[in-house]
Amino acid sequence: MIAPETMTERQKTLALLTLIIALVLEIIDTTIVNTALPQIKAGLHTNGEEAQWIVAGYSLAFALLLMAGGRLGDSYGYRRMFLIGVTGFSLASLGCGLATSGTHLVIARLLQGATGAMMAPQAMAMMQVLFAPLERVSKMALFGVIGGLAAIAGPIIGGLLLQADVFGLGWRVLFLINLPVGILAVIAGRAFLPSARSSHPAGNDYGGIALFGAAMAGLLWPLMRAETHGLNAMAWASLVAVPLFGWAGWRHVSARVATGRPVLFAPALFTVPSFRLGLTMSISASAANGGFLLVLAFALQSERGLSALATGLYHMPFGLGVMLGIGFLGRKLLPRIGRWILVIGAGLMATSGTFALAGVTAMGLSDTWLAPWLVPWLVLCGAGMGMTAGCIGPVTLAQVDRDHAGAASALLKTAQQLGIALGVALVGSIYFAVASAGMAAPSLAAALGVDALLAICLLAALRLPGNIFAAH
């Protein structure tokens, strides 16, 4: 096996390219499925609950196992866990492509998320192994740019593949294409990645994962089944159990801290007000984004009758707005106006997103006027999302002690993924429930759910201290 200290610049570059392949694979599968959801729903005869789990199950499993995946790499080696993760992800993708029912596809998507959580943290860890601190700055920036482009490209690539109908596979090709890419990543990983692990592995807290996972599943399950079953006694029992599981999880983590055992997260992090508020903003903003993109993709096809390709292309102005919000507006304005950039961003996304979804059906726009209406609002909506999402990370971590920087960053990533799952459950449930009831403009009703989530983000931003980046 290759030792990191003996690697040449060429070998390091090949290792970086290998990690980028895995990064793109993981991120694209978060967004590519939105474009195909109407075809999947029709082809497998799924209901709204299964359709939401197909999207949210991936993010939920990924979020719950992300920290465990990182620590497994510390214990058993980053290269080994990377190869296991990519192999598992490829096999799970094959399972998705061969699914014969909504239930089978949901299970395969959960496995995709779980194995993605084994794969993704190793890429970040390998960056620490491969490059010196100053070298990491440019490499991490490259990761950020490619990750952002992959998220934007997901729906577009999905639309192109569905339009081409490769080998007559329909939506299945979106998952089956991962197989050759995964095989390439495994071959490259074995050839180019060095062997390394942490000298002080922290171990894992599987009890904490189970308790907090039960709390999150207890929240999502009744929301997703509301379309077909409503909020019956079982649903209310599930919702009542959520705070109980959360309380038990907190007690469990606190007890392990007191005895010096490995924990899922450090409770001391939550004594930092800006960190607590930052996680709240991360969950609510990610939920709004996940819910908005789900409804936009579904409504354009189901309500307007657009093709998958046309739907994917409508994601381009939103993506351009996100890049503008993150790369220019957020970066320039955050040091100058602090928390107000988050307030402005959340407000802009709520307003423009509502107008965008209203234009899909509620305003009765003709096909001729749909693009002139949607494109400007989608650019503004993306800019608001970029201003918000791009600034939440620095704000959340601004006053966290550097000794906890790694754990805090992992919690932030976990919050983002949990937010996506929550948004798909909440906003998707509103959309499918209104559509099933035969009511007009379900996309506009879903926009109100997005607005409520962004209002939470905005209120949390207003509670941030004015001197968020002051020394502490």
Side-chain angles (χ1 to χ4, degrees):
M1 291 187 184
I2 306 170
E5 59 273 10
T6 65
M7 294 179 70
T8 65
E9 289 302 315
R10 179 179 177 277
Q11 288 175 314
K12 289 182 179 180
T13 300
L14 291 170
L16 178 63
L17 291 174
T18 302
L19 299 176
I20 287 174
I21 292 172
L23 173 75
V24 170
L25 198 64
E26 176 253 311
I27 292 177
I28 280 184
D29 265 68
T30 306
T31 57
I32 196 172
V33 74
N34 284 350
T35 312
L37 200 57
Q39 289 193 24
I40 294 172
K41 196 169 184 290
L44 294 181
H45 307 291
T46 64
N47 54 33
E49 178 185 357
E50 289 174 326
Q52 289 170 88
W53 274 112
I54 290 167
V55 180
Y58 178 91
S59 294
L60 178 62
F62 187 96
L64 292 177
L65 295 173
L66 182 63
M67 296 185 75
R71 290 179 179 177
L72 286 171
D74 289 340
S75 300
Y76 298 106
Y78 308 125
R79 179 179 181 272
R80 176 182 294 177
M81 289 309 303
F82 177 86
L83 294 173
I84 291 173
V86 174
T87 301
F89 191 90
S90 302
L91 292 174
S93 298
L94 177 62
C96 290
L98 298 178
T100 56
S101 69
T103 301
H104 293 163
L105 184 53
V106 169
I107 293 170
R109 284 285 284 174
L110 288 167
L111 290 173
Q112 259 194 325
T115 51
M118 300 298 105
M119 172 178 69
Q122 318 317 325
M124 294 296 105
M126 280 286 183
M127 296 288 285
Q128 307 289 324
V129 172
L130 288 169
F131 302 104
L134 287 178
E135 290 180 301
R136 290 176 206 148
V137 175
S138 60
K139 307 303 181 187
M140 292 298 290
L142 178 63
F143 259 47
V145 170
I146 291 175
L149 290 174
I152 295 168
I156 301 170
I157 292 172
L160 287 169
L161 290 172
L162 290 171
Q163 185 79 11
D165 193 20
V166 182
F167 303 122
L169 292 170
W171 59 266
R172 298 178 187 276
V173 73
L174 272 63
F175 300 108
L176 294 176
I177 198 172
N178 290 344
L179 200 57
V181 177
I183 291 172
L184 174 63
V186 169
I187 294 171
R190 290 180 62 86
F192 305 129
L193 293 182
S195 177
R197 69 181 68 186
S198 172
S199 57
H200 303 288
N204 255 312
D205 177 9
Y206 296 109
I209 293 171
L211 288 169
F212 285 106
M216 195 65 193
L219 175 62
L220 297 185
W221 179 71
L223 292 177
M224 292 187 183
R225 69 197 306 267
E227 176 206 351
T228 51
H229 298 88
L231 290 178
N232 54 21
M234 289 182 63
W236 282 112
S238 179
L239 290 172
V240 168
V242 170
L244 299 178
F245 278 119
W247 174 81
W250 185 268
R251 288 290 301 271
H252 167 86
V253 168
S254 299
R256 288 178 71 90
V257 168
T259 55
R261 290 177 289 171
V263 290
L264 185 62
F265 59 84
L269 284 170
F270 289 87
T271 63
V272 181
S274 58
F275 183 77
R276 293 197 306 270
L277 292 168
L279 287 190
T280 300
M281 292 187 296
S282 181
I283 292 171
S284 55
S286 297
N289 190 41
F292 174 81
L293 291 177
L294 171 74
V295 171
L296 177 68
F298 205 93
L300 284 173
Q301 294 178 77
S302 298
E303 296 184 56
R304 296 292 307 199
L306 298 187
S307 68
L309 178 58
T311 299
L313 292 176
Y314 267 115
H315 285 70
M316 289 183 67
F318 180 84
L320 291 173
V322 171
M323 293 173 67
L324 174 67
I326 292 176
F328 180 74
L329 296 174
R331 182 169 57 87
K332 291 287 186 182
L333 294 176
L334 179 60
R336 298 179 183 178
I337 63 176
R339 65 187 177 187
W340 294 105
I341 186 66
L342 293 162
V343 173
I344 294 169
L348 179 61
M349 184 181 177
T351 305
S352 52
T354 299
F355 277 112
L357 290 179
V360 175
T361 52
M363 301 183 66
L365 296 174
S366 67
D367 291 344
T368 303
W369 286 100
L370 182 63
W373 176 268
L374 273 185
V375 169
W377 289 120
L378 287 174
V379 171
L380 289 173
C381 185
M385 187 67 232
M387 291 161 65
T388 307
C391 296
I392 284 176
V395 166
T396 304
L397 303 176
Q399 297 184 359
V400 171
D401 191 286
R402 289 184 179 180
D403 290 340
H404 295 299
S409 298
L411 272 175
L412 180 60
K413 176 70 173 176
T414 299
Q416 291 167 349
Q417 292 295 323
L418 288 176
I420 293 172
L422 177 61
V424 169
L426 179 61
V427 179
S429 292
I430 295 172
Y431 179 85
F432 288 118
V434 172
S436 295
M439 299 169 64
S443 55
L444 184 57
L448 299 179
V450 174
D451 293 345
L453 292 165
L454 289 168
I456 295 171
C457 180
L458 189 152
L459 292 173
L462 287 172
R463 293 190 60 193
L464 288 168
N467 57 342
I468 183 68
F469 294 104
H472 64 285

Short mmCIF file of all heavy atoms in Angstrom, two decimals, residues 127-158:
data_model
loop_
_atom_site.label_atom_id
_atom_site.label_comp_id
_atom_site.label_asym_id
_atom_site.label_seq_id
_atom_site.Cartn_x
_atom_site.Cartn_y
_atom_site.Cartn_z
N MET A 127 -8.04 14.38 2.64
CA MET A 127 -7.48 15.69 2.33
C MET A 127 -6.46 16.10 3.39
O MET A 127 -5.43 16.72 3.08
CB MET A 127 -8.60 16.73 2.26
CG MET A 127 -9.58 16.49 1.15
SD MET A 127 -8.91 16.83 -0.47
CE MET A 127 -8.90 18.60 -0.45
N GLN A 128 -6.76 15.76 4.64
CA GLN A 128 -5.83 16.08 5.72
C GLN A 128 -4.54 15.28 5.59
O GLN A 128 -3.45 15.76 5.91
CB GLN A 128 -6.48 15.76 7.08
CG GLN A 128 -7.84 16.39 7.31
CD GLN A 128 -7.76 17.88 7.50
OE1 GLN A 128 -6.81 18.39 8.09
NE2 GLN A 128 -8.74 18.61 6.99
N VAL A 129 -4.68 14.05 5.12
CA VAL A 129 -3.52 13.16 4.99
C VAL A 129 -2.65 13.54 3.79
O VAL A 129 -1.42 13.53 3.87
CB VAL A 129 -4.00 11.70 4.86
CG1 VAL A 129 -2.83 10.78 4.53
CG2 VAL A 129 -4.70 11.25 6.13
N LEU A 130 -3.28 13.91 2.69
CA LEU A 130 -2.56 14.12 1.44
C LEU A 130 -1.83 15.45 1.35
O LEU A 130 -0.77 15.54 0.76
CB LEU A 130 -3.54 14.01 0.26
CG LEU A 130 -4.08 12.62 -0.08
CD1 LEU A 130 -5.23 12.71 -1.06
CD2 LEU A 130 -2.95 11.76 -0.67
N PHE A 131 -2.42 16.50 1.97
CA PHE A 131 -1.91 17.84 1.70
C PHE A 131 -1.55 18.58 2.99
O PHE A 131 -2.19 18.40 4.04
CB PHE A 131 -2.95 18.65 0.91
CG PHE A 131 -3.33 18.02 -0.39
CD1 PHE A 131 -4.55 17.36 -0.52
CD2 PHE A 131 -2.47 18.04 -1.47
CE1 PHE A 131 -4.91 16.77 -1.71
CE2 PHE A 131 -2.82 17.45 -2.67
CZ PHE A 131 -4.04 16.81 -2.80
N ALA A 132 -0.55 19.46 2.88
CA ALA A 132 -0.17 20.33 3.98
C ALA A 132 -1.26 21.38 4.20
O ALA A 132 -2.07 21.63 3.30
CB ALA A 132 1.16 21.01 3.66
N PRO A 133 -1.30 22.03 5.39
CA PRO A 133 -2.37 22.98 5.70
C PRO A 133 -2.60 24.04 4.63
O PRO A 133 -3.76 24.30 4.26
CB PRO A 133 -1.91 23.59 7.02
CG PRO A 133 -1.13 22.50 7.67
CD PRO A 133 -0.43 21.80 6.56
N LEU A 134 -1.55 24.66 4.12
CA LEU A 134 -1.74 25.70 3.12
C LEU A 134 -2.24 25.14 1.80
O LEU A 134 -3.02 25.78 1.09
CB LEU A 134 -0.43 26.46 2.90
CG LEU A 134 -0.01 27.42 4.03
CD1 LEU A 134 1.32 28.07 3.71
CD2 LEU A 134 -1.08 28.49 4.24
N GLU A 135 -1.83 23.92 1.46
CA GLU A 135 -2.30 23.28 0.23
C GLU A 135 -3.78 22.96 0.31
O GLU A 135 -4.49 22.99 -0.71
CB GLU A 135 -1.53 21.99 -0.02
CG GLU A 135 -0.07 22.17 -0.40
CD GLU A 135 0.60 20.83 -0.63
OE1 GLU A 135 0.64 20.01 0.31
OE2 GLU A 135 1.09 20.60 -1.75
N ARG A 136 -4.25 22.68 1.52
CA ARG A 136 -5.65 22.28 1.68
C ARG A 136 -6.62 23.39 1.31
O ARG A 136 -7.76 23.13 0.91
CB ARG A 136 -5.93 21.85 3.13
CG ARG A 136 -5.28 20.56 3.53
CD ARG A 136 -5.53 20.26 4.98
NE ARG A 136 -4.47 19.43 5.54
CZ ARG A 136 -4.06 19.48 6.79
NH1 ARG A 136 -4.62 20.34 7.63
NH2 ARG A 136 -3.10 18.69 7.21
N VAL A 137 -6.20 24.64 1.47
CA VAL A 137 -7.10 25.76 1.22
C VAL A 137 -7.63 25.71 -0.20
O VAL A 137 -8.85 25.74 -0.44
CB VAL A 137 -6.39 27.10 1.50
CG1 VAL A 137 -7.31 28.26 1.12
CG2 VAL A 137 -5.96 27.19 2.95
N SER A 138 -6.73 25.61 -1.17
CA SER A 138 -7.15 25.58 -2.57
C SER A 138 -7.89 24.28 -2.90
O SER A 138 -8.84 24.28 -3.68
CB SER A 138 -5.95 25.75 -3.50
OG SER A 138 -5.01 24.70 -3.30
N LYS A 139 -7.45 23.18 -2.30
CA LYS A 139 -8.10 21.89 -2.59
C LYS A 139 -9.52 21.86 -2.03
O LYS A 139 -10.44 21.37 -2.68
CB LYS A 139 -7.29 20.73 -1.99
CG LYS A 139 -5.81 20.71 -2.39
CD LYS A 139 -5.60 20.68 -3.87
CE LYS A 139 -4.10 20.63 -4.20
NZ LYS A 139 -3.85 20.76 -5.64
N MET A 140 -9.71 22.40 -0.83
CA MET A 140 -11.05 22.44 -0.24
C MET A 140 -11.95 23.39 -1.03
O MET A 140 -13.15 23.13 -1.18
CB MET A 140 -10.96 22.89 1.22
CG MET A 140 -10.28 21.88 2.14
SD MET A 140 -11.14 20.30 2.22
CE MET A 140 -12.60 20.75 3.12
N ALA A 141 -11.37 24.49 -1.53
CA ALA A 141 -12.16 25.39 -2.37
C ALA A 141 -12.61 24.67 -3.64
O ALA A 141 -13.75 24.83 -4.09
CB ALA A 141 -11.33 26.62 -2.72
N LEU A 142 -11.71 23.86 -4.21
CA LEU A 142 -12.06 23.07 -5.39
C LEU A 142 -13.19 22.10 -5.07
O LEU A 142 -14.13 21.95 -5.86
CB LEU A 142 -10.83 22.31 -5.89
CG LEU A 142 -11.03 21.39 -7.10
CD1 LEU A 142 -11.44 22.20 -8.32
CD2 LEU A 142 -9.76 20.59 -7.38
N PHE A 143 -13.11 21.45 -3.91
CA PHE A 143 -14.18 20.55 -3.48
C PHE A 143 -15.50 21.29 -3.40
O PHE A 143 -16.56 20.79 -3.81
CB PHE A 143 -13.83 19.96 -2.11
CG PHE A 143 -13.29 18.56 -2.17
CD1 PHE A 143 -12.29 18.22 -3.08
CD2 PHE A 143 -13.77 17.58 -1.34
CE1 PHE A 143 -11.79 16.94 -3.14
CE2 PHE A 143 -13.28 16.28 -1.40
CZ PHE A 143 -12.28 15.96 -2.30
N GLY A 144 -15.46 22.51 -2.83
CA GLY A 144 -16.68 23.29 -2.68
C GLY A 144 -17.30 23.65 -4.02
O GLY A 144 -18.53 23.54 -4.21
N VAL A 145 -16.48 24.09 -4.96
CA VAL A 145 -16.98 24.46 -6.28
C VAL A 145 -17.57 23.25 -7.00
O VAL A 145 -18.68 23.31 -7.55
CB VAL A 145 -15.85 25.09 -7.12
CG1 VAL A 145 -16.30 25.27 -8.58
CG2 VAL A 145 -15.43 26.43 -6.53
N ILE A 146 -16.83 22.14 -6.98
CA ILE A 146 -17.30 20.94 -7.67
C ILE A 146 -18.57 20.40 -7.00
O ILE A 146 -19.50 19.97 -7.68
CB ILE A 146 -16.19 19.87 -7.71
CG1 ILE A 146 -15.06 20.33 -8.62
CG2 ILE A 146 -16.74 18.53 -8.18
CD1 ILE A 146 -13.86 19.43 -8.65
N GLY A 147 -18.59 20.44 -5.66
CA GLY A 147 -19.79 20.00 -4.96
C GLY A 147 -21.01 20.83 -5.32
O GLY A 147 -22.10 20.30 -5.55
N GLY A 148 -20.83 22.15 -5.39
CA GLY A 148 -21.94 23.02 -5.78
C GLY A 148 -22.41 22.76 -7.20
O GLY A 148 -23.62 22.71 -7.46
N LEU A 149 -21.46 22.59 -8.11
CA LEU A 149 -21.82 22.31 -9.50
C LEU A 149 -22.51 20.96 -9.63
O LEU A 149 -23.44 20.80 -10.42
CB LEU A 149 -20.56 22.35 -10.37
CG LEU A 149 -19.92 23.72 -10.58
CD1 LEU A 149 -18.61 23.58 -11.34
CD2 LEU A 149 -20.86 24.65 -11.33
N ALA A 150 -22.07 19.98 -8.83
CA ALA A 150 -22.70 18.65 -8.88
C ALA A 150 -24.15 18.71 -8.42
O ALA A 150 -25.03 18.07 -9.01
CB ALA A 150 -21.91 17.67 -8.01
N ALA A 151 -24.42 19.49 -7.37
CA ALA A 151 -25.78 19.63 -6.88
C ALA A 151 -26.68 20.27 -7.94
O ALA A 151 -27.84 19.87 -8.13
CB ALA A 151 -25.79 20.46 -5.60
N ILE A 152 -26.13 21.30 -8.63
CA ILE A 152 -26.90 21.97 -9.68
C ILE A 152 -27.09 21.04 -10.88
O ILE A 152 -28.16 21.01 -11.51
CB ILE A 152 -26.18 23.26 -10.11
CG1 ILE A 152 -26.15 24.26 -8.95
CG2 ILE A 152 -26.84 23.88 -11.33
CD1 ILE A 152 -25.22 25.42 -9.17
N ALA A 153 -26.04 20.28 -11.20
CA ALA A 153 -26.08 19.43 -12.39
C ALA A 153 -26.99 18.22 -12.23
O ALA A 153 -27.46 17.66 -13.24
CB ALA A 153 -24.67 18.95 -12.73
N GLY A 154 -27.26 17.81 -10.97
CA GLY A 154 -28.05 16.60 -10.75
C GLY A 154 -29.37 16.57 -11.52
O GLY A 154 -29.61 15.65 -12.33
N PRO A 155 -30.26 17.56 -11.32
CA PRO A 155 -31.53 17.55 -12.06
C PRO A 155 -31.36 17.66 -13.57
O PRO A 155 -32.14 17.08 -14.33
CB PRO A 155 -32.26 18.78 -11.50
CG PRO A 155 -31.63 19.06 -10.19
CD PRO A 155 -30.19 18.66 -10.35
N ILE A 156 -30.33 18.40 -14.02
CA ILE A 156 -30.11 18.56 -15.46
C ILE A 156 -29.66 17.24 -16.07
O ILE A 156 -30.17 16.81 -17.12
CB ILE A 156 -29.07 19.67 -15.72
CG1 ILE A 156 -29.55 20.99 -15.13
CG2 ILE A 156 -28.80 19.80 -17.22
CD1 ILE A 156 -28.51 22.08 -15.13
N ILE A 157 -28.69 16.58 -15.42
CA ILE A 157 -28.23 15.27 -15.90
C ILE A 157 -29.39 14.27 -15.88
O ILE A 157 -29.56 13.48 -16.82
CB ILE A 157 -27.06 14.76 -15.04
CG1 ILE A 157 -25.83 15.65 -15.25
CG2 ILE A 157 -26.73 13.32 -15.37
CD1 ILE A 157 -24.69 15.34 -14.31
N GLY A 158 -30.20 14.34 -14.83
CA GLY A 158 -31.36 13.46 -14.75
C GLY A 158 -32.30 13.68 -15.92
O GLY A 158 -32.78 12.72 -16.54
#
